[in-house]
Amino acid sequence: MISTFIRHELKAFWRSKNTGKSIAIRVVMGILILYLFLNVLAVGIFLDKMLEGIFPDDDLVKSFCGIILVYFLFDLLFRLQLQELPTLRVQPYLHLPIKRNTLVRYLAITAVFSMFNLWPFILFLPFVFKIIITDSGLLVAFAFVVAIAGLTVFNNYLSLYIKRKSNLNGWIFLIAAAILILITTCDFRWHFYSLHDISYAFFGRIISNPAFAIIPLALGIVMYYFNFLYLKQNLYLEELTAHKIQKDKSSTDIPFLAHFGAVGDLAANEIKLVLRNKRPRSALIMGLFFMFYGLIFYTNPLLNKNWAVFAGMFMTGIFIINYGQFMFSWQGSHFDGLLVSKISFTDFLKAKYLLFTMVSTIAFLLSTPYVYFGWRILITHLIMYLWNIGINTTIMLFFANRNFRRIDLSKSASFNWEGVGATQLLLTFPLLIAPYIFYGPFALFKHQDIGLAVLAGLAIIFILTRNYWIKQLEADFYTKRYQIAEGFRNK
């Protein structure tokens, strides 16, 4: 039956009207992946030389054992962001008399055919065959291969499990990403423990007792079983729907937004759009990663305090930049419906302002630990936060009226340049240059405090006159709405 599913997948691919375009994309992707494979293979072949250079005082096998868990931690981070979720391929069979276990097994097996599952073998096996077999024998080398395979399977199904759970509750994805970032930071930044030592403590035991390789393999099998059970319980669409109805609240039913009436409802809908779709969600996740951006500037003595303006704007406004540059494109598939609906465009714009203000406020609060580098940093962040919600948000919405490229939310976030055009390129210039037009002259004559005061004053003026700017944006939108709608209809 599984072979039948695969044949149907191939027929669906060749009969699709977009076959030519898909083949072209796959050829380009194949060349890129082949190039990456060759690079990883080169690293794997010379891994022993690299480890000798990185850990000159350690035994070579000990160094190798120490990096395995570190690799799989970052592997999980990349999988959460980039790995595809094979969910919808069995949808046409849901109404046919096919056993549920067969469908679930097909989903589980196709999930194994991911490029991510090849990386650890290409990277680690050359070292195992060159060094481990020579030092410890064939049995230990085989145990290492089993352990690496087990961790690969574990990461594969854990990332898919988290992604599937995230489809029902977007906060799960954010919590999982935050936990992984915290684990990484506790080691590499705060030095509470050493993942390198923990990794060696386990894989070092495999050398003396190869039976320990069963533990990663067992973890992989258990994770596969959890994934299998979850798919089996939630395979049918009506069950997923029923589950949602039984719940009192969804993850984005935020009571706080109820105070804003129709504007709050629109903002809540947009939050759902962000959390339930890969590409907008990746913009939010990238914002979390960029919260560490300040460590580059504030720990480098060669960079002066003028860079805090840029870093503060970037960290407190990264979501506005990442998500806002495709504003209105996210609603491209149902933009015609928005035009004929009873939704007030004033409320529509206010909801955008509310969304950006909420996310920027959270980003500012997350950036407050940078007060460790001085109160001036925190004050600069506060001013640039006001700049983002006052001026940058208005600039984004101004360019949104000039963006005619739609985005298909059903497509993957990785290597997806849909919606990217000259508008997005032009948009970055005013965002990056505008603060320095006002701050730069004062900084040049050593009056940075006055420059910051000017930025704060302008930002507050824009915030207090927000209704005026909304009216201007609304009037501008009505002159371009049909042009925008026509652009979104072109796929």
Side-chain angles (χ1 to χ4, degrees):
M1 194 65 204
I2 290 174
S3 63
T4 302
F5 289 145
I6 294 174
R7 281 202 306 275
H8 287 180
E9 288 280 325
L10 291 173
K11 287 180 179 177
F13 173 77
W14 288 110
R15 290 173 180 174
S16 170
K17 63 179 181 181
N18 295 320
T19 299
K21 182 179 176 182
S22 299
I23 290 175
I25 293 173
R26 286 167 192 266
V27 168
V28 174
M29 292 297 298
I31 294 171
L32 181 61
I33 290 171
L34 181 62
Y35 174 74
L36 291 174
F37 267 127
L38 292 175
N39 280 278
V40 175
L41 181 61
V43 172
I45 292 172
F46 298 104
L47 186 59
D48 51 337
K49 306 295 182 188
M50 296 173 68
L51 289 175
E52 284 177 350
I54 298 171
F55 306 102
D57 299 327
D58 285 350
D59 177 72
L60 189 57
V61 175
K62 180 181 178 181
S63 303
F64 174 73
C65 293
I67 65 167
I68 295 177
L69 277 187
V70 178
Y71 166 83
F72 279 103
L73 179 66
F74 285 97
D75 174 72
L76 186 57
L77 273 168
F78 282 111
R79 283 176 186 268
L80 287 176
Q81 182 64 22
L82 300 175
Q83 188 172 2
E84 295 290 335
L85 191 63
T87 305
L88 297 176
R89 293 177 186 174
V90 297
Q91 194 169 353
Y93 305 99
L94 289 178
H95 65 287
L96 299 177
I98 299 174
K99 289 182 180 179
R100 183 180 292 201
N101 282 353
T102 305
L103 291 171
V104 173
R105 198 175 300 117
Y106 171 74
L107 278 174
I109 290 175
T110 52
V112 174
F113 298 110
S114 168
M115 291 297 172
F116 283 94
N117 294 332
L118 290 178
W119 300 122
F121 294 101
I122 294 174
L123 181 62
F124 292 134
L125 288 193
F127 186 93
V128 171
F129 292 134
K130 282 174 64 178
I131 307 298
I132 300 292
I133 287 182
T134 307
D135 279 10
S136 307
L138 186 61
L139 180 61
V140 174
F142 179 72
F144 266 88
V145 174
V146 171
I148 290 169
L151 288 176
T152 303
V153 172
F154 177 78
N155 266 12
N156 183 63
Y157 288 108
L158 177 60
S159 64
L160 296 179
Y161 184 76
I162 292 172
K163 285 191 166 189
R164 287 188 172 114
K165 294 284 284 186
S166 301
N167 285 339
L168 294 180
N169 189 338
W171 289 107
I172 290 177
F173 187 88
L174 296 179
I175 292 170
I179 290 173
L180 290 174
I181 292 170
L182 185 64
I183 291 172
T184 310
T185 308
C186 284
D187 179 8
F188 295 101
R189 180 64 188 170
W190 296 327
H191 307 297
F192 289 158
Y193 50 76
S194 170
L195 289 170
H196 182 274
D197 292 343
I198 294 172
S199 180
Y200 173 69
F202 177 74
F203 285 95
R205 287 178 182 273
I206 291 181
I207 296 174
S208 56
N209 189 352
F212 273 90
I214 296 174
I215 296 175
L217 188 63
L219 287 174
I221 294 171
V222 169
M223 202 62 243
Y224 168 83
Y225 181 69
F226 272 113
N227 210 56
F228 185 89
L229 277 184
Y230 181 78
L231 277 174
K232 189 175 179 179
Q233 291 169 358
N234 299 281
L235 185 62
Y236 295 126
L237 298 179
E238 61 270 25
E239 290 181 0
L240 285 173
T241 306
H243 181 62
K244 287 180 183 176
I245 293 172
Q246 287 172 0
K247 294 176 69 175
D248 293 331
K249 295 179 179 178
S250 73
S251 60
T252 52
D253 287 337
I254 305 171
F256 167 73
L257 292 176
H259 300 291
F260 296 92
V263 174
D265 290 340
L266 289 170
N269 286 337
E270 189 130 4
I271 291 172
K272 291 176 184 177
L273 182 150
V274 172
L275 296 178
R276 293 178 178 176
N277 294 281
K278 296 175 184 176
R279 194 167 170 189
R281 190 170 59 208
S282 71
L284 185 64
I285 300 297
M286 288 302 293
L288 291 176
F289 282 107
F290 276 103
M291 294 312 298
F292 298 97
Y293 205 57
L295 297 177
I296 298 174
F297 292 90
Y298 304 143
T299 58
N300 190 341
L302 298 177
L303 298 176
N304 59 37
K305 54 187 176 184
N306 293 329
W307 283 98
V309 172
F310 177 77
M313 182 190 70
F314 214 70
M315 284 190 286
T316 60
I318 185 62
F319 179 75
I320 296 175
I321 297 171
N322 274 347
Y323 183 77
Q325 65 179 316
F326 302 111
M327 193 49 67
F328 300 167
S329 294
W330 304 116
Q331 286 94 10
S333 58
H334 57 274
F335 192 77
D336 285 334
L338 290 174
L339 287 181
V340 299
S341 69
K342 294 182 180 179
I343 296 173
S344 162
F345 191 71
T346 302
D347 290 342
F348 188 69
L349 285 175
K350 286 182 178 178
K352 306 290 185 190
Y353 271 104
L354 179 60
L355 174 70
F356 287 146
T357 301
M358 286 192 301
V359 178
S360 290
T361 303
I362 294 171
F364 169 69
L365 294 175
L366 290 175
S367 74
T368 52
Y370 284 111
V371 73
Y372 173 79
F373 297 100
W375 284 99
R376 185 184 177 83
I377 297 293
L378 185 62
I379 293 171
T380 306
H381 282 195
L382 175 62
I383 292 171
M384 297 319 296
Y385 155 70
L386 296 174
W387 181 275
N388 280 318
I389 64 173
I391 297 175
N392 276 354
T393 301
T394 306
I395 293 174
M396 280 292 177
L397 293 174
F398 172 79
F399 276 95
N401 287 341
R402 285 148 185 82
N403 181 20
F404 310 136
R405 293 170 178 268
R406 60 173 278 150
I407 288 178
D408 186 351
L409 292 173
S410 64
K411 291 184 178 178
S412 166
S414 55
F415 303 105
N416 184 356
W417 290 278
E418 189 179 43
V420 178
T423 304
Q424 284 69 39
L425 180 63
L426 293 173
L427 183 58
T428 57
F429 290 108
L431 292 178
L432 298 177
I433 294 173
Y436 282 98
I437 290 176
F438 300 98
Y439 176 80
F442 295 101
L444 189 64
F445 294 101
K446 309 296 181 186
H447 295 296
Q448 288 90 347
D449 292 344
I450 298 176
L452 289 175
V454 170
L455 291 180
L458 287 171
I460 291 171
I461 288 172
F462 265 74
I463 293 171
L464 294 178
T465 57
R466 178 172 286 179
N467 287 335
Y468 168 78
W469 296 112
I470 288 175
K471 287 181 181 176
Q472 298 303 313
L473 290 168
E474 185 179 13
D476 185 42
F477 170 78
Y478 280 124
T479 63
K480 296 182 173 60
R481 54 182 168 174
Y482 298 120
Q483 197 176 356
I484 298 172
E486 184 180 356
F488 288 164
R489 292 186 199 115
N490 295 322
K491 299 182 180 179

